[in-house]
Amino acid sequence: MGGKKLMKEVRLFFSSSNQFAYGLKIGRKIKAIKARLASIERKANTFGFMVRDRPLDTSFMTKKRQQTHSFVPKDKIIGRDDDKAALLKLVLEFESEENVYIIPIVGFGGLGKTALAQFVYNDEMVKNHFELMMWVCVSDVFDVKLIVQNIIKSATGQAPNQNLEMDQLQKNLREKIGGKKYLLILDDMWNEERENWVSIKELLIGGAKGSRIIVTTRSFKVAKITSKCQPHVLKGLSDYDAWSLFKEIAFEQRYADSIDSAFVEIGQQILERCGGVPLVIRMIASTLSYKETEEEWRSFKDNELARISQNESNILPRLKLSYDHLPAYLKRCFAYCRLYPKDYEIDVQTLVQFWVAQGFVTQSNGTQSLQEIGFGYFKELVERSFLQEVKERHFMICKMHDLMHDLAELVAGKESSIVDSNSSASEVDEKCRHISINDDSLILLFKGKKLRTLLQFLNVIHLDKRDEIWHFIISNYRCLRVLKLDYFDFSTIPLSIHKLKHLRYLDLSGNRHEILPKSICKVQNLQVLKLDQCRWLKELPKKIEKLVNLTHLKCYECNDLTHMPRGIGKLTSLEELSMFVVDRDGSHDGADLSELSGLNNLRGQLRIKNLRSKEKFKTPILKGKQYLESLILEWNGDNDDNDNKLLEDLQPHPNLKELCIDGWGGDAKFPSWLSFLTNLVHIYIWGPNKSKYLPSVAQFPCLQDLSIRDCYELEYMDDNSPKGSQGEPESFFPSLKCLDLENCQNMKSWWRTTKPIDDDSNEDDTTVMGTSTMAFPCLCTLSIQNCPLTSMPLYPSVDDNLRLENTSSRPFKQTIKMKMNAKTPSSSTSSLPLSKLKSFHVKNMEDMDTPMLDEYMQHLTSLETLTIDGCTKVDLEGMQWEPLKNLSYLEINNIPKLVSLPLGLQQLLN
């Protein structure tokens, strides 16, 4: 009893954690396991099973493949040209008595109904034929209100207010489609109740004559209740097309070139059993692409394939063949995807984090992180057509085909379940390991003690049960590894959270807590902690360095976060730290920038907020971060002379792909390291710095986006004057697609020059800005606002969006007068500059006049949006409007000379 240490040892000895008691308990368990293994061995000998001395294949890196990607993009759909032609005739040419004509596409799963609908939907003739195009996935649940919401969202690009009643929603829908010729795709419809369909149809009949609705379904009964016309029945591929698809996926390049007759013969025999179903062909061909010998192909045909029924509607057994041939590490990853609802867009990074948390991803060596290996698993599942990949700019999402979801449900069995009602909650087996829910009260109904995953995709939240739910989870689900409780509206996290000792993944995003309990730092197995959009969160736990296994700490849009806790630099396993907040005034005793120096495994994006010149560090803190892709440097507004040195000291690794410098107030040149970041794809520099120019980045081979805003002192972009016609640079912004210049009020020329550039006497003179061939070769979007640029490179290839506001029209005049040639990237040398432009916005252009606009718009046959605002010299009289046949939006504002709408404008009303 001599002190706290002795008391603790005595308590520990007599507790359940006593080493002697634990050893006795676990020893009995080991003996029982050994007895079971011995029994299994005796049974194996009875049946004559053979022991194979073969190492377990655990790493996707052991697979070496050279064949093409098995996921066939929608623009490479094979064998559906005749189906597309038939549908186009119904969509574009057929004259119906009804304003809205409904076309069903019927076929069993896997035939490609959705792909065919997309084939038609994306056809250029179809896009030009309809005023409004909408796509809605209906799937299993036919909820009229939800379908109306999704139609409105597809039509407007914005989801309607969730609190609107059905009466308000139907009025909103009628307003959006009323009098318009529209095309609506209702994909994957299952509802066979006529009354439900009528309730939707009544809201859609207000479209203009010629409107079309395409319904894809597996049910002829659905086709019958939705339309009076004969449905388009989709059949299997022809032998020729089926072989083309099979050959493209199954054969490696050497087979495709030499056409080994043995492989061709076996492949054609296997193909006969696929029934011409594209999805089955892809799956089986993908499986065969991993088998390199003729014996393996023949074994597949004679054994596995021979056991499958030839009933062409019985697809799941055929798909399960491919699943059976997956390596073990991919089987469990695929089965886990069963937890997502059908048609759900799956965030790939999150999915991989789930796999890692469950221990599905194994590391054979230390050269790759678990996240990278898991992403390799994902790519393999995509290659084998188990998942469908969809790429986005900053993140990646994927989807599962409905049949793949059914297959995942089949192979997952009772181990995984989606709980969406009281009845399904009561049916969940107590041995279930993974569940997802859509109503938080359902958590309280599941009594299983071995749960490892709890995900929520909430439609319903019961605010009065928040504390009860937390208590229930911590009391009952002690084996949890993945817990996703984002947007639950929690304001507090219980202290007892440390009892979830096995937790690897915790998502508390979108909740209202201001602080996290210190006890969360005792969850030492935690790998992923997500706190995105916790807008009230003020600080992270002070002992965060105890989370030694933490690899991802996300706090995106936690705008009230005042500082980072000291010791965060000890988390050397961190691969993602979305934001590092510098203690603005030092009052919170927070971490300083030097703690970043040891976090060299960081990947993705790092945002450093509240930068201040008082920060001191002896060693480079960013230079060693070779995996970092995106860096945002954000000042707090308290700028002084030391900001120049601070930015220079924040030199990143040359591998960086995106750089944003926001609020830097330096009064010297930009840092010298900027011109060495040749891998940059995106550069964003937002003032108010005092630099006169940027270091030359014109020859950066990868640069696609360049945005310069609020740099009031910027006089020119590039310090190097343009060379003569014999010495022009070989590459001038070779990849730049988007250029944004805003509020650079002193910038008159792209290059530094001593020649006057205010004289507009010769509009065609190009000696100041270089030759007329020095133009942006790939630029498709250009915005210049409040920048008096008189001299700059030309931009004839812009085809998406051109916005000119309070700037000189001289570069615009020179652009429309130039001749396209081999050095400017047009599809043909005869194309006119800007002839493919879709959106043109011109505002407060004092030197823009009517003849200039009229001359330009004679060849704007692709223009869809036109805004003319505050141009005092424009009156629009005598302009030719006929060429603007694709214009769908016109705004004319603040034109003093305009006394009446110009003649010819009525041409657009058609």
Side-chain angles (χ1 to χ4, degrees):
M1 303 298 291
K4 293 183 178 180
K5 181 179 179 182
L6 181 59
M7 292 171 65
K8 182 177 180 181
E9 290 178 352
V10 172
R11 287 198 304 270
L12 181 62
F13 184 84
F14 286 102
S15 73
S16 60
S17 300
N18 178 273
Q19 295 181 15
F20 297 107
Y22 176 79
L24 182 62
K25 180 180 178 181
I26 203 67
R28 290 172 180 169
K29 287 187 175 183
I30 291 175
K31 286 182 180 179
I33 292 173
K34 290 176 67 176
R36 288 177 61 198
L37 289 173
S39 174
I40 291 172
E41 183 180 10
R42 287 193 298 271
K43 292 180 180 178
N45 293 332
T46 301
F47 289 102
F49 290 162
M50 297 174 60
V51 178
R52 290 187 179 181
D53 184 17
R54 186 175 63 181
L56 180 65
D57 183 10
T58 58
S59 171
F60 79 96
M61 293 302 293
T62 61
K63 295 289 184 184
K64 296 181 179 180
R65 298 186 57 203
Q66 297 179 352
Q67 94 284 350
T68 57
H69 196 290
S70 68
F71 174 67
V72 183
K74 294 297 185 293
D75 60 349
K76 293 185 179 179
I77 295 175
I78 294 176
R80 294 304 185 196
D81 292 334
D82 291 342
D83 294 288
K84 180 184 177 183
L87 283 172
L88 285 178
K89 192 169 183 178
L90 290 173
V91 169
L92 302 176
E93 301 176 13
F94 179 74
E95 294 186 4
S96 169
E97 297 178 358
E98 301 172 318
N99 284 358
V100 182
Y101 184 63
I102 302 168
I103 307 167
I105 302 176
V106 183
F108 57 82
L111 278 176
K113 300 182 296 297
T114 299
L116 177 60
Q118 290 175 330
F119 207 11
V120 172
Y121 188 83
N122 292 313
D123 187 88
E124 286 300 322
M125 291 189 297
V126 173
K127 290 180 179 180
N128 295 331
H129 185 76
F130 292 99
E131 299 176 68
L132 182 63
M133 298 180 66
M134 300 162 287
W135 183 290
V136 174
C137 184
V138 181
S139 201
D140 295 350
V141 180
F142 194 89
D143 184 326
V144 175
K145 183 177 180 181
L146 181 61
I147 293 172
V148 171
Q149 288 175 336
N150 288 334
I151 294 175
I152 295 172
K153 181 179 178 181
S154 181
T156 63
Q158 294 182 337
N161 190 322
Q162 296 294 315
N163 296 322
L164 291 180
E165 297 296 331
M166 187 60 201
D167 185 60
Q168 295 171 299
L169 285 171
Q170 64 92 9
K171 289 180 181 177
N172 195 346
L173 177 60
R174 288 176 181 273
E175 290 175 1
K176 300 301 179 187
I177 67 174
K180 294 182 180 178
K181 185 162 64 173
Y182 69 80
L183 171 64
L184 169 63
I185 311 291
L186 294 176
D187 186 38
D188 195 22
M189 198 161 108
W190 290 78
N191 168 65
E192 295 183 345
E193 298 296 328
R194 184 179 298 275
E195 293 76 13
N196 290 339
W197 166 248
V198 171
S199 62
I200 284 288
K201 183 180 178 181
E202 288 176 346
L203 303 179
L204 300 172
I205 58 177
K209 191 172 182 60
S211 296
R212 297 288 189 265
I213 299 176
I214 295 178
V215 177
T216 72
T217 180
R218 302 184 195 183
S219 167
F220 278 91
K221 187 174 180 180
V222 171
K224 188 174 181 180
I225 67 170
T226 55
S227 177
K228 299 176 183 178
C229 78
Q230 288 294 321
H232 182 87
V233 180
L234 200 58
K235 298 180 179 179
L237 297 178
S238 67
D239 292 343
Y240 175 82
D241 292 326
W243 177 247
S244 298
L245 178 59
F246 180 89
K247 184 171 61 174
E248 180 176 338
I249 300 171
F251 290 153
E252 294 189 14
Q253 189 60 45
R254 63 175 183 271
Y255 299 141
D257 292 340
S258 61
I259 306 295
D260 188 300
S261 58
F263 281 94
V264 169
E265 181 182 354
I266 300 171
Q268 289 177 340
Q269 292 172 358
I270 291 173
L271 188 61
E272 291 176 1
R273 306 296 298 275
C274 294
V277 182
L279 184 62
V280 175
I281 294 171
R282 286 197 181 102
M283 296 295 297
I284 290 181
S286 296
T287 299
L288 290 171
S289 69
Y290 283 80
K291 300 182 181 301
E292 298 182 356
T293 66
E294 180 184 337
E295 288 73 18
E296 289 178 303
W297 279 48
R298 196 176 300 279
S299 174
F300 181 89
K301 175 182 74 72
D302 295 338
N303 297 316
E304 289 90 344
L305 196 63
R307 294 194 296 267
I308 300 302
S309 168
Q310 294 195 39
N311 179 5
E312 68 177 12
S313 64
N314 189 15
I315 292 180
L316 276 184
R318 305 186 206 187
L319 296 183
K320 192 174 181 298
L321 265 184
S322 293
Y323 171 82
D324 292 338
H325 282 260
L326 284 177
Y329 60 89
L330 290 183
K331 284 182 177 179
R332 53 195 178 187
C333 290
F334 171 71
Y336 194 85
C337 298
R338 179 264 188 277
L339 292 174
Y340 288 97
K342 283 189 176 181
D343 302 312
Y344 192 86
E345 291 188 344
I346 303 170
D347 182 277
V348 173
Q349 184 191 47
T350 300
L351 175 62
V352 171
Q353 288 169 352
F354 289 163
W355 291 344
V356 172
Q358 296 298 339
F360 296 165
V361 181
T362 55
Q363 197 171 30
S364 58
N365 54 60
T367 59
Q368 284 188 303
S369 69
L370 289 173
Q371 190 76 17
E372 290 172 328
I373 296 173
F375 184 72
Y377 290 6
F378 162 75
K379 295 294 289 183
E380 242 190 300
L381 286 172
V382 170
E383 288 176 349
R384 295 170 180 261
S385 299
F386 284 87
L387 296 173
Q388 297 174 352
E389 180 181 9
V390 183
K391 290 186 177 181
E392 297 292 334
R393 179 176 169 184
H394 289 301
F395 60 94
M396 184 180 291
I397 62 174
C398 69
K399 296 185 74 173
M400 293 180 71
H401 190 280
D402 281 358
L403 281 174
M404 289 295 103
H405 194 281
D406 293 341
L407 177 62
E409 183 177 352
L410 173 68
V411 299
K414 296 181 178 180
E415 189 169 297
S416 300
S417 181
I418 295 179
V419 180
D420 54 11
S421 67
N422 290 343
S423 59
S424 61
S426 63
E427 294 171 359
V428 174
D429 193 291
E430 287 192 4
K431 295 182 180 179
C432 184
R433 295 292 182 265
H434 315 285
I435 64 172
S436 61
I437 60 169
N438 65 359
D439 183 335
D440 60 356
S441 65
L442 299 175
I443 296 175
L444 305 174
L445 302 178
F446 180 66
K447 305 299 183 182
K449 297 290 185 179
K450 300 295 184 180
L451 198 65
R452 289 192 168 208
T453 301
L454 175 57
L455 307 179
Q456 62 81 17
F457 302 97
L458 286 187
N459 295 325
V460 182
I461 301 177
H462 297 86
L463 300 181
D464 57 326
K465 295 186 177 182
R466 288 174 298 188
D467 294 337
E468 183 183 357
I469 289 170
W470 260 123
H471 175 74
F472 185 86
I473 290 173
I474 294 174
S475 300
N476 292 277
Y477 302 154
R478 296 290 178 86
C479 295
L480 272 178
R481 291 192 171 200
V482 171
L483 180 58
K484 180 177 178 289
L485 296 177
D486 51 329
Y487 303 97
F488 251 83
D489 208 33
F490 291 127
S491 56
T492 58
I493 308 299
L495 296 174
S496 55
I497 193 172
H498 71 278
K499 294 182 179 180
L500 301 178
K501 296 184 182 298
H502 298 283
L503 201 61
R504 268 92 164 149
Y505 179 102
L506 178 60
D507 189 352
L508 298 173
S509 300
N511 288 300
R512 295 189 297 111
H513 39 261
E514 294 185 5
I515 59 173
L516 297 176
K518 296 178 182 178
S519 58
I520 201 172
C521 296
K522 296 181 180 180
V523 189
Q524 294 184 1
N525 285 312
L526 198 63
Q527 297 170 349
V528 179
L529 178 59
K530 291 189 176 181
L531 303 166
D532 291 337
Q533 296 183 336
C534 292
R535 304 183 191 278
W536 288 270
L537 187 66
K538 298 186 181 300
E539 60 180 86
L540 298 173
K542 291 184 178 180
K543 298 294 183 180
I544 199 169
E545 69 268 19
K546 291 185 177 181
L547 297 176
V548 293
N549 291 304
L550 201 65
T551 57
H552 295 77
L553 177 57
K554 298 194 67 175
C555 44
Y556 177 71
E557 289 190 9
C558 294
N559 297 326
D560 279 0
L561 205 59
T562 56
H563 64 286
M564 306 305 285
R566 287 190 178 274
I568 195 171
K570 297 179 182 179
L571 301 178
T572 53
S573 296
L574 268 183
E575 297 177 14
E576 182 177 22
L577 177 62
S578 56
M579 184 167 65
F580 186 96
V581 184
V582 178
D583 192 352
R584 184 169 184 136
D585 54 13
S587 62
H588 299 94
D589 193 30
D592 54 36
L593 280 178
S594 62
E595 297 220 28
L596 283 173
S597 59
L599 304 181
N600 287 336
N601 286 317
L602 289 181
R603 291 159 166 80
Q605 183 181 90
L606 171 63
R607 175 187 178 194
I608 304 179
K609 186 180 176 183
N610 287 347
L611 280 167
R612 53 179 188 163
S613 59
K614 296 179 182 179
E615 290 293 324
K616 307 294 181 184
F617 40 89
K618 296 180 180 179
T619 58
I621 64 171
L622 298 178
K623 198 172 182 180
K625 294 174 175 41
Q626 59 179 319
Y627 306 115
L628 201 65
E629 294 185 356
S630 174
L631 177 64
I632 301 175
L633 302 175
E634 187 176 306
W635 270 255
N636 62 13
D638 300 331
N639 306 115
D640 58 33
D641 295 340
N642 291 324
D643 275 344
N644 297 325
K645 184 179 185 307
L646 175 60
L647 183 57
E648 187 69 40
D649 291 341
L650 290 173
Q651 178 176 353
H653 192 277
N655 288 348
L656 198 71
K657 294 181 179 179
E658 179 176 280
L659 174 66
C660 177
I661 301 176
D662 187 3
W664 173 64
D667 58 359
K669 295 187 294 184
F670 277 92
S672 59
W673 46 258
L674 182 60
S675 57
F676 297 108
L677 302 180
T678 54
N679 290 310
L680 282 174
V681 178
H682 313 284
I683 298 179
Y684 309 101
I685 298 177
W686 301 329
N689 61 75
K690 301 175 183 178
S691 296
K692 303 294 184 184
Y693 66 92
L694 263 67
S696 178
V697 293
Q699 297 183 54
F700 276 16
C702 305
L703 191 63
Q704 295 181 11
D705 292 343
L706 177 60
S707 176
I708 313 291
R709 295 181 181 177
D710 302 324
C711 295
Y712 306 115
E713 305 297 325
L714 198 70
E715 293 183 1
Y716 42 92
M717 185 71 70
D718 195 333
D719 191 38
N720 298 316
S721 300
K723 302 173 183 179
S725 58
Q726 299 300 319
E728 291 176 8
E730 293 182 2
S731 178
F732 177 78
F733 283 106
S735 302
L736 193 67
K737 296 180 180 179
C738 300
L739 176 61
D740 174 30
L741 302 175
E742 186 173 335
N743 295 331
C744 300
Q745 298 168 353
N746 285 317
M747 186 176 173
K748 294 184 178 180
S749 175
W750 190 271
W751 292 279
R752 180 174 60 180
T753 179
T754 57
K755 180 176 179 177
I757 55 177
D758 293 326
D759 182 14
D760 284 345
S761 58
N762 185 0
E763 299 287 358
D764 297 321
D765 181 31
T766 59
T767 57
V768 174
M769 49 69 61
T771 69
S772 60
T773 58
M774 188 172 289
F776 297 103
C778 295
L779 198 67
C780 59
T781 298
L782 173 63
S783 176
I784 305 176
Q785 301 179 61
N786 300 320
C787 299
L789 259 178
T790 307
S791 168
M792 69 174 293
L794 306 185
Y795 41 88
S797 64
V798 172
D799 59 6
D800 186 16
N801 184 20
L802 175 61
R803 185 184 184 98
L804 302 175
E805 182 174 334
N806 194 21
T807 186
S808 171
S809 65
R810 181 173 180 174
F812 174 72
K813 296 177 185 177
Q814 293 172 330
T815 297
I816 62 177
K817 291 180 179 180
M818 73 177 292
K819 295 181 178 179
M820 304 292 277
N821 55 45
K823 292 187 179 182
T824 55
S826 177
S827 58
S828 68
T829 55
S830 61
S831 297
L832 295 170
L834 303 176
S835 60
K836 298 180 180 179
L837 189 66
K838 292 182 176 63
S839 177
F840 183 37
H841 181 109
V842 55
K843 181 177 181 181
N844 296 338
M845 299 284 287
E846 295 182 359
D847 54 351
M848 183 77 73
D849 54 27
T850 300
M852 185 193 312
L853 275 178
D854 188 43
E855 177 185 357
Y856 168 52
M857 289 195 291
Q858 294 310 303
H859 53 264
L860 286 186
T861 56
S862 300
L863 198 66
E864 298 173 0
T865 300
L866 174 62
T867 300
I868 304 173
D869 187 353
C871 298
T872 57
K873 293 184 179 181
V874 172
D875 58 14
L876 305 182
E877 285 295 333
M879 286 184 58
Q880 302 297 314
W881 297 92
E882 291 84 355
L884 305 182
K885 58 183 180 180
N886 288 316
L887 198 68
S888 59
Y889 179 91
L890 173 64
E891 179 180 344
I892 301 173
N893 187 39
N894 193 21
I895 307 294
K897 289 189 175 183
L898 185 67
V899 295
S900 63
L901 289 178
L903 295 175
L905 194 61
Q906 67 270 17
Q907 299 279 347
L908 303 179
L909 301 180
N910 296 325

